[in-house]
């Protein structure tokens, strides 16, 4: 863990946030450990102690601690609703609920596939997917089994607080082959509308190589969007990927999404080949793209 990151974290939760709370009577917490809980839970996508050994400032993966710091800075800049972040944390800890979140069905049935909630049986194939260098070619690195398990729990917990999330994709005869679905962007992002935590919804996918070549990403994403726009009444979505990820960009275009802008992904270092990203947008009432499928519709 870089020492500078640790110092920034301690200064943020021990001094700056408690000091700012004196002038913010609407904030739901005042104490340093409460600010730490809220920021760490939202950075981890669930109770932080389930994935990180205490003390978090020493054992949290640097990219997640940087996420938590960015979120705290957004709270100070009034670009993140501390009340919303606190409610998400409490829901994950079994101490509350978010009233606006619509109850999610257990599954959505597509043609030749099913979108469903995650199960522990998905842990093995999901870890295998994340360990495949070709699947993860447009990501910073492959993931260890432990990292995959943490990610799987975080993805499924999205349904608890938002009523939607990335669905596990199951294909008859193949079982679990990846995920497709939407998630609310909690980390502030450097594009129009993304600066305010929680205000933007992203659609995304990641499929095993066994599921490539049949247009599954496009068909599954269309089903997920139908549910998102219909049941959840989400008015618009974004999608983004590394500029050079042509296969994923073709899926976005087949979903009726249009290029909005380029940006540099904040979690990647300056000069990294994957840092330049392209953003696509789509409104709920917009048309889907053409119905043709491509053998390249396979991954983000």
């Amino acid at each position: 863990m870089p020492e500078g990151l640790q110092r920034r974290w301690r200064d943020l939760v021990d001094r700056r946030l408690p000091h700012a709370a004196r002038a913010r009577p609407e904030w739901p917490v005042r104490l340093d450990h409460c600010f730490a809980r809220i920021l760490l839970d939202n950075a981890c996508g669930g109770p932080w102690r389930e994935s990180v050994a205490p003390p978090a400032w020493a054992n949290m993966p640097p990219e997640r601690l940087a996420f938590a710091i960015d979120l705290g800075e957004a709270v100070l800049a009034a670009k993140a609703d501390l009340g919303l972040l606190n409610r998400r944390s409490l829901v994950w800890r079994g101490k509350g609920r978010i009233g606006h979140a619509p109850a999610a069905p257990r599954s959505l049935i597509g043609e030749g596939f099913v979108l469903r909630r995650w199960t522990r049986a998905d842990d093995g194939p999901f870890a295998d997917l994340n360990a495949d260098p070709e699947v993860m070619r447009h990501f910073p690195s492959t993931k260890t089994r432990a990292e995959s398990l943490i990610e799987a729990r975080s993805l499924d917990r999205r349904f608890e607080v938002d009523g939607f999330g990335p669905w596990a994709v199951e294909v008859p005869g193949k079982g679990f082959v990846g995920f497709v679905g939407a998630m609310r962007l909690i980390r502030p992002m450097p594009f129009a509308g993304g600066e305010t935590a929680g205000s933007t919804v992203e659609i995304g996918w990641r499929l095993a190589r066994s599921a490539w070549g049949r247009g599954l990403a496009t068909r599954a994403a269309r089903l997920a969007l139908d549910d998102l726009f219909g049941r959840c009444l989400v008015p618009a979505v974004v999608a983004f990927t590394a500029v050079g990820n042509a296969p994923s960009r073709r899926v976005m275009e087949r979903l009726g999404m249009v290029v909005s802008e380029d940006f540099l992904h904040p979690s990647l270092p300056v000069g990294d080949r994957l840092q330049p990203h392209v953003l696509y947008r789509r409104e709920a009432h917009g048309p889907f793209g053409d119905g043709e499928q491509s053998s390249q519709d396979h991954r983000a």
Side-chain angles (χ1 to χ4, degrees):
M1 177 73 69
E3 290 186 8
L5 208 58
Q6 294 179 357
R7 287 195 297 270
R8 287 181 59 200
W9 170 254
R10 298 305 335 164
D11 185 55
L12 178 69
V13 299
D14 292 347
R15 184 183 67 83
R16 296 174 63 207
L17 283 166
H19 178 76
R22 300 172 189 170
R24 301 297 296 270
E26 75 278 12
W27 280 7
V29 299
R30 296 284 183 272
L31 303 177
D32 55 354
H33 67 273
C34 294
F35 288 113
R37 166 185 60 81
I38 293 170
L39 300 179
L40 292 172
D41 281 3
N42 278 275
C44 291
W48 66 267
R49 287 176 181 266
E50 293 183 5
S51 57
V52 178
W57 58 266
N59 296 313
M60 179 84 74
E63 64 276 8
R64 286 189 179 270
L65 188 60
F67 182 167
I69 292 171
D70 287 349
L71 200 52
E73 295 290 356
V75 169
L76 288 170
K79 291 184 176 180
D81 182 345
L82 186 65
L84 172 63
L85 299 177
N86 183 50
R87 290 193 294 275
R88 293 172 71 89
S89 170
L90 293 177
V91 167
W92 286 324
R93 291 167 177 260
K95 298 179 180 180
R97 64 185 301 272
I98 296 181
H100 71 270
R106 294 303 304 176
S107 63
L108 303 173
I109 308 300
E111 184 178 349
F113 67 92
V114 176
L115 303 184
R116 58 166 175 76
R117 294 288 299 275
W118 296 67
T119 71
R120 296 303 171 93
D122 301 327
D123 290 351
F126 187 51
D128 292 341
L129 180 160
N130 285 332
D132 186 333
E134 186 61 19
V135 172
M136 303 298 286
R137 182 161 59 95
H138 294 290
F139 291 84
S141 66
T142 57
K143 295 178 182 290
T144 66
R145 180 177 176 82
E147 290 169 336
S148 290
L149 296 184
I150 292 170
E151 184 181 18
R153 303 295 176 268
S154 174
L155 293 176
D156 192 54
R157 286 192 181 105
R158 297 278 186 160
F159 289 91
E160 299 173 11
V161 294
D162 295 320
F164 58 85
W167 301 90
V169 182
E170 183 170 323
V171 173
K174 294 182 180 293
F176 174 90
V177 296
F179 71 79
V180 173
M183 63 184 79
R184 193 172 297 281
L185 288 174
I186 296 301
R187 182 174 193 157
M189 298 293 286
F191 52 75
E195 305 94 338
T196 301
S199 64
T200 302
V201 175
E202 174 199 7
I203 181 80
W205 45 86
R206 191 184 310 158
L207 298 179
R209 276 195 276 177
S210 64
W212 295 1
R214 295 180 292 119
L216 181 59
T218 302
R219 291 183 287 118
R222 283 176 174 170
L223 180 59
L225 286 174
D226 283 342
D227 176 70
L228 188 71
F229 294 151
R231 178 179 60 86
C232 303
L233 302 178
V234 172
V237 296
V238 303
F240 51 83
T241 189
V243 169
N245 188 355
S248 196
R249 295 181 66 170
R250 284 192 285 270
V251 175
M252 296 172 192
E253 290 161 5
R254 288 189 170 88
L255 295 175
M257 308 190 82
V258 296
V259 173
S260 174
E261 61 187 275
D262 294 334
F263 69 96
L264 298 177
H265 201 292
S267 70
L268 295 169
V270 175
D272 190 285
R273 66 179 181 87
L274 297 176
Q275 191 187 30
H277 268 55
V278 59
L279 179 77
Y280 285 73
R281 297 183 187 272
R282 172 188 158 81
E283 296 185 355
H285 55 74
F288 283 113
D290 64 60
E292 296 180 9
Q293 304 302 324
S294 167
S295 62
Q296 298 300 312
D297 290 354
H298 51 235
R299 65 190 181 279

